[in-house]
Amino acid sequence: MERDYVESKMIRSYGFDSLTSTLEVEFNNGAIWQYFDVPENLYYEMKASSSCGKFFNANIRDHYSESRIG
């Protein structure tokens, strides 16, 4: 999955697969997680937010099923 790199204390990059509604997040510690059944609008809201880490913590983490892939 193609990811966009960001300036963040927590997140290195993230991307979205609209066919599977999967959000993929690479954290600064090197871990890569996928979050499933995420509405596409949340991905765009995360891109537009002033802090993707705060948005992630408030709207994604612990709200969607997840799997560590790396």
Side-chain angles (χ1 to χ4, degrees), residues 3-6 36 45 49 54 58-59:
R3 295 190 304 262
D4 295 321
Y5 287 84
V6 295
F36 306 105
E45 288 177 28
S49 70
K54 287 180 183 178
N59 298 284

Side-chain angles (χ1 to χ4, degrees), residues 51-69:
S51 172
C52 63
K54 287 180 183 178
F55 184 91
F56 172 83
N57 283 332
N59 298 284
I60 307 295
R61 177 173 274 162
D62 299 327
H63 294 194
Y64 297 93
S65 60
E66 62 193 32
S67 178
R68 183 173 180 166
I69 63 165

Side-chain angles (χ1 to χ4, degrees), residues 31-43:
I32 302 171
W33 286 78
Q34 289 186 335
Y35 298 85
F36 306 105
D37 300 318
V38 176
E40 190 168 5
N41 68 299
L42 278 184
Y43 166 70

Side-chain angles (χ1 to χ4, degrees), residues 4-44:
D4 295 321
Y5 287 84
V6 295
E7 293 289 327
S8 169
K9 293 179 183 177
M10 184 173 86
I11 295 173
R12 181 175 299 152
S13 66
Y14 60 93
F16 187 76
D17 183 338
S18 59
L19 295 177
T20 62
S21 298
T22 301
L23 177 70
E24 187 171 285
V25 179
E26 178 186 12
F27 293 93
N28 286 332
N29 67 4
I32 302 171
W33 286 78
Q34 289 186 335
Y35 298 85
F36 306 105
D37 300 318
V38 176
E40 190 168 5
N41 68 299
L42 278 184
Y43 166 70
Y44 290 109

